Amino acid sequence: MGSAGYYAARRDIEVTDIMQPIPKPADHPPVPARRVGVLLMNLGTPEATDYWSMRRYLKEFLSDPRVIEVPKAVWWPVLNGIILTVRPGKSGHAYKSIWNEERNESPLKTVTRAQAEGVAAALAARHGDSVVVDWAMRYGQPAVGPAIQRLKDQGCDRILLFPLYPQYSATTTATANDQAFRQLMTMRWQPAVRTVPAYHDEPGYIEALARSVVRHIAALDHTPDVLLASFHGLPKVYLDRGDPYHCFCVKTARLLAERLGWEPGRVQYSFQSRFGKAEWLKPYTDKTVEELARAGKTKIAVIAPGFSADCVETLEEIQFQVKDAFMAAGGERFTYIPCLNDHPDHVIFLADLVERELGGWVDGAEARAARDAEDHVTA
């Protein structure tokens, strides 16, 4: 048969004949329905406030070379000889003051779970059970590796990794992704993965922040002179080495100010949580609130746009330490505006961002699940 005759014969074959379902062999192992997974990842939490629980958590956190960019030969004796002797007690005291006693866990764990449940519900309303949402902590429990395996075991052959840090930094976003990639390195059958980029300038994120400010201030019996956006600090050398975190924080503060439409200077930014003798990103939060009080700005509101959920840095450091510094310098009224946490504005924004980043995956997952239901071979 010549080539012309061959192709003519091929055209006579119906496509539907080719695509008929192929039944699984009788001895084929069970195969879960194919889905898409979403893993929300936050920083981490100790399991309790006692010395040894805090020490385990801090050791894991402060041993990460992305967090502490100091040669191990120099850092290891300092960490194990000094910091892990003194800091667990102080940190445990701070955590104890904000601990969720009802659940016996840190607020960060409580809120991150609620965020995951909210995002899961929003996506289920749109896509049924074709998308599975889980959550994990980079340091502590629940750990990232087992969460990825759980998603894989539920049929998720594609997973979206979502580090819950609005502003990218190698010390946060990158190390969360690193931990996920370490799990992938141990898996014979890896799922395909994507990562959610920084969302420091996403309109939905800025809008949710602005609404939280407006709601909070409307409930006060006074009008703050200044809104201070306090971000977690970072050694300045990290910026010098190319970390974009500082630029992203400044942009978030600028966009928030523009969205609020307030007069210039009423929204300011600063950086908190520094330790050690090295220079960190400036201006420092504690010094800034002191300067504001001395300059006659005696009524201020503080917001923490770098945190997706309230934690020890916001509930203890800002509400106690930063407030005390402000009041001691002559301040009169201090209010903290909570993180977006699991407020509906935030949950819907997170779900919308997830759906955008799942572009081409969600519809594909639904189509694959339909084919699996027709008993096609899936392995």
Side-chain angles (χ1 to χ4, degrees), residues 204-318:
Y205 163 67
I206 300 300
E207 181 66 22
L209 286 176
R211 288 185 180 184
S212 73
V213 172
V214 172
R215 280 194 307 271
H216 190 90
I217 290 180
L220 300 176
D221 61 0
H222 65 282
T223 301
D225 301 314
V226 170
L227 172 66
L228 181 65
S230 181
F231 299 88
H232 198 287
L234 200 68
K236 182 178 179 297
V237 67
Y238 293 11
L239 169 65
D240 298 336
R241 292 170 181 169
D243 197 300
Y245 177 74
H246 176 269
C247 300
F248 289 176
C249 292
V250 174
K251 186 172 185 181
T252 295
R254 175 176 63 79
L255 292 175
L256 176 59
E258 291 175 358
R259 167 60 183 81
L260 291 170
W262 294 355
E263 62 271 19
R266 193 174 170 199
V267 178
Q268 300 184 25
Y269 68 88
S270 60
F271 297 91
Q272 64 182 84
S273 308
R274 71 188 188 280
F275 72 92
K277 297 180 180 180
E279 181 181 0
W280 282 48
L281 298 179
K282 293 181 178 179
Y284 299 144
T285 295
D286 55 353
K287 303 300 182 185
T288 298
V289 298
E290 292 171 354
E291 292 169 2
L292 287 171
R294 293 175 185 137
K297 307 296 184 182
T298 58
K299 301 185 291 294
I300 68 170
V302 178
I303 191 171
F307 299 89
S308 61
D310 275 310
C311 53
V312 70
E313 286 86 357
T314 63
L315 299 176
E316 196 279 333
E317 184 178 353
I318 290 180

Side-chain angles (χ1 to χ4, degrees), residues 82-270:
I82 301 174
I83 294 177
L84 292 180
T85 299
V86 177
R87 195 173 177 91
K90 295 175 63 177
S91 295
H93 178 74
Y95 270 95
K96 191 171 184 177
S97 70
I98 55 110
W99 200 250
N100 182 342
E101 297 292 347
E102 182 179 353
R103 285 182 174 266
N104 190 28
E105 63 188 22
S106 74
L108 182 64
K109 182 177 286 189
T110 304
V111 173
T112 305
R113 180 192 297 108
Q115 290 171 333
E117 291 172 350
V119 171
L123 293 176
R126 305 174 191 181
H127 303 288
D129 63 356
S130 63
V131 179
V132 182
V133 180
D134 207 337
W135 61 284
M137 297 292 177
R138 166 60 185 93
Y139 310 102
Q141 300 296 323
V144 171
I148 290 177
Q149 188 61 55
R150 284 195 303 273
L151 290 171
K152 182 68 166 56
D153 292 344
Q154 293 176 79
C156 297
D157 60 354
R158 306 181 185 201
I159 296 176
L160 179 69
L161 304 175
F162 193 164
L164 289 169
Y165 311 107
Q167 298 81 19
Y168 175 94
S169 172
T171 63
T172 52
T173 309
T175 192
N177 287 333
D178 285 348
Q179 193 70 352
F181 300 152
R182 290 188 187 97
Q183 173 65 18
L184 294 175
M185 291 173 65
T186 70
M187 301 174 72
R188 179 172 296 278
W189 187 357
Q190 294 178 335
V193 296
R194 291 177 179 171
T195 63
V196 175
Y199 54 96
H200 62 285
D201 57 355
E202 287 286 342
Y205 163 67
I206 300 300
E207 181 66 22
L209 286 176
R211 288 185 180 184
S212 73
V213 172
V214 172
R215 280 194 307 271
H216 190 90
I217 290 180
L220 300 176
D221 61 0
H222 65 282
T223 301
D225 301 314
V226 170
L227 172 66
L228 181 65
S230 181
F231 299 88
H232 198 287
L234 200 68
K236 182 178 179 297
V237 67
Y238 293 11
L239 169 65
D240 298 336
R241 292 170 181 169
D243 197 300
Y245 177 74
H246 176 269
C247 300
F248 289 176
C249 292
V250 174
K251 186 172 185 181
T252 295
R254 175 176 63 79
L255 292 175
L256 176 59
E258 291 175 358
R259 167 60 183 81
L260 291 170
W262 294 355
E263 62 271 19
R266 193 174 170 199
V267 178
Q268 300 184 25
Y269 68 88
S270 60

